[in-house]
Amino acid sequence: STDFDGTLFAEFERPPIPESIATLIGELQSLGAKWVINTGRDMASLMEALARSRVSIQPDYLVLVEREIFFHDGARYASLAEWNEACARDHTELFARVRPQVPALMDWVNARFRATVYEDSHSPFCLIAGNNGDADAIHEHLIEFCLSVPQLVVVRNDVYARFSHAAYDKGTALAEICRRAGIGADEVFAAGDHLNDLPMLTPACARWLVAPANAVEPVKQALRRQNGYSSNLSHGDGVADGLHYCLRLAGGWKQKRSAPAAANS
């Protein structure tokens, strides 16, 4: 299970997804491994970015908007209807309760920060802060607000944030995929770089936890507490490095190509 932006995909690198990780994932898929892209993007945005990356591999599963699950049926990505319908119902009910309070929240942000706040199809409150310092301050206020609304949480990635339901995140979606596939956490590898990845970067979801060098400090701290691996290589090369490291620990892996340069755990 790999996050996309900042973990696998680096917008301004060429190529955005390095050969080191694309080749390795492809080799593992040929041996029966399943690949999940676990992202905050929606379907259209992710498909466009994958097309620009020109990778030959395809994920077996998608977790979109940090909560919706899709699987590749051989021709297209199909919705995991039971999960996604429950997810939509729960969010509709939650957002109906919180929506009357959103204008005051937007006014609070606009009075103090140069930021963009808006509603979209995924949340009644979405944020693009001007910088990470402002995003930190707004995030703290939103966390405090969420304490007053049962099941409401704020999902944060860099300067972006939005409201979501506490029962649906990258971790619970990954756990549902594994449950349906009959895969235990001991057989799962997860890699991420930012705060919205923390729900899947836990031993409850995955035994093998990895962060690239560009990961934010809270992610690196979480991995240190849980005996995860932080690479000194960035983005996709860091994921490849971490995946090689985990495969060596797991044993029985004969790589077809050389691993990336040595890194620090």
Side-chain angles (χ1 to χ4, degrees):
S1 177
T2 61
D3 171 48
F4 192 68
D5 292 280
T7 299
L8 199 71
F9 177 88
E11 181 75 45
F12 300 108
E13 299 292 330
R14 294 293 178 267
I17 299 176
E19 182 181 352
S20 60
I21 188 60
T23 298
L24 182 52
I25 290 174
E27 290 175 5
L28 291 170
Q29 285 180 306
S30 73
L31 297 173
K34 302 300 180 184
W35 174 32
V36 183
I37 288 184
N38 209 330
T39 179
R41 288 185 185 243
D42 62 16
M43 180 72 78
S45 175
L46 179 62
M47 291 298 103
E48 187 274 334
L50 283 172
R52 283 193 287 112
S53 299
R54 297 184 178 180
V55 291
S56 60
I57 55 175
Q58 284 188 317
D60 300 281
Y61 295 91
L62 305 175
V63 175
L64 302 175
V65 203
E66 288 120 355
R67 64 195 193 221
E68 299 170 350
I69 301 175
F70 294 80
F71 63 95
H72 201 274
D73 65 3
R76 63 187 181 91
Y77 287 101
S79 172
L80 189 59
E82 182 181 358
W83 173 273
N84 291 342
E85 289 168 5
C87 177
R89 286 194 304 270
D90 290 345
H91 278 86
T92 296
E93 187 277 331
L94 173 64
F95 291 159
R97 288 192 283 115
V98 76
R99 189 168 278 108
Q101 302 174 73
V102 167
L105 273 178
M106 290 184 172
D107 289 344
W108 184 91
V109 172
N110 289 328
R112 292 164 175 80
F113 304 96
R114 188 182 295 273
T116 301
V117 285
Y118 60 97
E119 177 174 353
D120 68 10
S121 60
H122 306 298
S123 172
F125 181 94
C126 302
L127 167 76
I128 307 175
N131 56 65
N132 269 289
D134 288 354
D136 289 342
I138 298 168
H139 190 194
E140 289 183 12
H141 184 76
L142 295 177
I143 291 173
E144 185 71 21
F145 173 80
C146 288
L147 295 176
S148 66
V149 183
Q151 299 301 316
L152 184 68
V153 294
V154 57
V155 179
R156 164 89 183 279
N157 181 1
D158 197 52
V159 296
Y160 306 95
R162 64 172 162 238
F163 285 152
S164 188
H165 192 292
Y168 301 91
D169 56 36
K170 290 190 177 190
T172 59
L174 175 58
E176 178 66 9
I177 290 170
C178 292
R179 184 187 71 81
R180 289 174 176 268
I183 297 171
D186 280 354
E187 302 171 274
V188 180
F189 168 96
D193 74 308
H194 220 286
L195 300 177
N196 62 337
D197 298 314
L198 289 173
M200 73 171 175
L201 296 176
T202 70
C205 291
R207 176 180 177 183
W208 312 97
L209 306 175
V210 164
N214 56 285
V216 297
E217 189 58 30
V219 168
K220 294 179 180 178
Q221 290 173 1
L223 263 63
R224 284 195 289 270
R225 291 193 302 270
Q226 300 171 122
N227 297 316
Y229 182 87
S230 292
S231 176
N232 66 359
L233 301 178
S234 294
H235 305 110
D237 286 325
V239 178
D241 171 46
L243 188 47
H244 275 291
Y245 173 84
C246 294
L247 288 166
R248 289 194 297 271
L249 283 186
W253 169 251
K254 294 182 180 179
Q255 61 198 60
K256 294 180 183 179
R257 302 190 179 205
S258 59
N264 298 321
S265 62

